Amino acid sequence: MTSSVIADAIVNVCGMIGLVVAMLALHRRDARSPLTRRFLIALGIVALLFLVRSAAWLTRSSLLDDLSVIPAAAIPFGALIVTEGLLRRHAPRAIKLAVIAGAVMLGLGGALGLGHFDAPYAAALAVFQLGGLATCAFLLATRDRQSLMASENRGIDRMTVGAIIVLPFIVTDFGALMPEMPVKLGALGALLVVTAMLIAGSSGEARWHAVLLTVLRLGSAALLGLAAAFVAPDVDAAQAVRFCAIAVSGVLAIGLMTDTLRSFLESRAPGVLSSVAISPATTRDELIAELLRHPLFESAQRHRECDLAGYDPPLLRNRLAGHRVLRRADAPWDHTPDDPAVERLVSLIAANNATHLLVLSSEPVDLLALAVPVTSADPATETAIALVQRILIMTA
């Protein structure tokens, strides 16, 4: 078994794993959506192709190699049903018939052994796949934008760009047409598309963060592949490309797995905002009692004006009126350090070993001292604390 075949199989296995993880993520997001079902069918077809094809290469089975043509020929069908779901209307009847007829003829022909006529059959399958994807991209690009919502149009634009980007990767899968390619990159292209598709479903800021993380993963993986290639004896350009393709595919698949697992585990353990949202509490006291059960607020201590006699409550009122959350790290909070009120607030924070003071009321003074562990101090936690403070001051 050559290094080229091993690299092709590893990249396809990584692609299959990544697509299965993407299917699980989409199913968990909205299992009952008709569009989700269409995506699952399309991704399932491609994942089956990668699975059968990698198994054929690793076992040197000509039967599996012939059978792998069936899902390969069905890829345009999967792309078309997704296109119809995105546009919320049927594709032209002629296009449907051409896609179905081509999938049946090429799929059955490949299963019966016509794929052994390498160049002619590979050319026919390549033209069919690329033509099908290009037709779907054309339908998406020439849609009636007025009939769709702005969010739908943005999502379709991203899908159109993704379909165009993946076309060169698909071409590399046809060894009879590109015999000099050191590794088949169709699975890597699919991984890039599903990664971008899952990123597109995030909010604006989260999407930008995910893009940065993905770029970091791709760059680091490529460098790791190059470094690994030079460890091997007699390395050449083709071998370096294979190492890079394996590293990038593996990192993308692992990234999809870890991101999906993290999202699943976080959903199993509701955050502080989720706890507030599902809480039956109707008053501020009841809500604070509910918050104290959450790990982030379990050390919180409430200080009313009657508890702060030693800190001169009248002096604190003027300072607290312009603040919502006081962080220990931000002291003296745009005031002079020797300000009497600031000195008392710093003393109060130190006495409670707190990191935050939530101002529930400035008159009468009502504070919630909170100690956030350094391992939990991140922007998301700070946002959650600020939102909890706003909810508490609006609760009677």
Side-chain angles (χ1 to χ4, degrees), residues 220-285:
S220 302
L223 292 175
L224 179 62
L226 283 174
F230 285 103
V231 173
D234 301 325
V235 64
D236 55 13
Q239 198 75 337
V241 171
R242 294 186 188 106
F243 273 94
C244 287
I246 291 172
V248 172
S249 300
V251 167
L252 285 176
I254 293 170
L256 287 169
M257 286 190 290
T258 54
D259 291 345
T260 302
L261 181 59
R262 183 190 305 115
S263 177
F264 173 75
L265 294 177
E266 288 176 352
S267 67
R268 299 277 293 184
V272 61
L273 293 179
S274 300
S275 301
V276 172
I278 63 177
S279 171
T282 57
T283 66
R284 180 182 296 174
D285 293 342

Side-chain angles (χ1 to χ4, degrees), residues 316-331:
L316 298 180
R317 288 176 192 152
N318 292 333
R319 282 290 169 265
L320 296 175
H323 297 281
R324 296 183 182 276
V325 178
L326 297 175
R327 297 175 68 244
R328 181 176 61 191
D330 296 335

Side-chain angles (χ1 to χ4, degrees), residues 21 60 82 102 115 127 131 178 202 212 256 271 291 309 348:
V21 171
R60 301 180 182 180
V82 170
V127 169
M178 302 185 69
S202 307
L212 290 178
L256 287 169
L291 283 171
L348 176 63

Side-chain angles (χ1 to χ4, degrees), residues 74-284:
I75 287 177
F77 171 75
L80 184 62
I81 62 174
V82 170
T83 300
E84 289 184 328
L86 291 171
L87 298 177
R88 291 195 274 115
R89 52 182 39 84
H90 290 286
R93 185 179 181 84
I95 294 178
K96 284 186 174 182
L97 292 176
V99 166
I100 294 174
V104 172
M105 292 174 59
L106 289 172
L108 290 179
L112 294 175
L114 293 182
H116 297 296
F117 298 96
D118 286 344
Y121 187 83
L125 184 58
V127 169
F128 178 64
Q129 283 190 353
L130 298 177
L133 293 177
T135 300
C136 292
F138 176 77
L139 292 175
L140 293 174
T142 58
R143 67 191 179 278
D144 179 12
R145 289 178 172 269
Q146 302 301 321
S147 63
L148 300 172
M149 296 183 294
S151 59
E152 291 177 314
N153 280 315
R154 285 194 297 270
I156 291 174
D157 288 337
R158 297 189 188 102
M159 289 296 298
T160 305
V161 173
I164 295 173
I165 291 175
V166 80
L167 293 180
F169 291 91
I170 294 177
V171 175
T172 65
D173 278 0
F174 296 93
L177 302 180
M178 302 185 69
E180 301 302 321
M181 279 299 298
V183 61
K184 294 178 171 63
L185 300 175
L188 176 56
L191 280 172
L192 291 172
V193 170
V194 297
T195 300
M197 183 173 65
L198 294 178
I199 290 175
S202 307
S203 61
E205 185 177 357
R207 186 186 306 125
W208 176 241
H209 292 168
V211 169
L212 290 178
L213 288 174
T214 301
V215 171
L216 178 61
R217 285 172 178 170
L218 292 175
S220 302
L223 292 175
L224 179 62
L226 283 174
F230 285 103
V231 173
D234 301 325
V235 64
D236 55 13
Q239 198 75 337
V241 171
R242 294 186 188 106
F243 273 94
C244 287
I246 291 172
V248 172
S249 300
V251 167
L252 285 176
I254 293 170
L256 287 169
M257 286 190 290
T258 54
D259 291 345
T260 302
L261 181 59
R262 183 190 305 115
S263 177
F264 173 75
L265 294 177
E266 288 176 352
S267 67
R268 299 277 293 184
V272 61
L273 293 179
S274 300
S275 301
V276 172
I278 63 177
S279 171
T282 57
T283 66
R284 180 182 296 174

Side-chain angles (χ1 to χ4, degrees), residues 62-71 73 103-116 121:
S62 59
L63 175 61
L64 289 177
D65 196 31
D66 292 338
L67 292 177
S68 69
V69 179
I70 297 177
V104 172
M105 292 174 59
L106 289 172
L108 290 179
L112 294 175
L114 293 182
H116 297 296
Y121 187 83

Side-chain angles (χ1 to χ4, degrees), residues 272 275-276 285-302 368-370:
V272 61
S275 301
V276 172
D285 293 342
E286 291 176 352
L287 190 55
I288 291 176
E290 189 75 25
L291 283 171
L292 293 178
R293 301 175 186 173
H294 192 276
L296 184 62
F297 281 82
E298 62 183 356
S299 62
Q301 298 181 31
R302 189 176 184 182
L368 194 65
L370 177 64

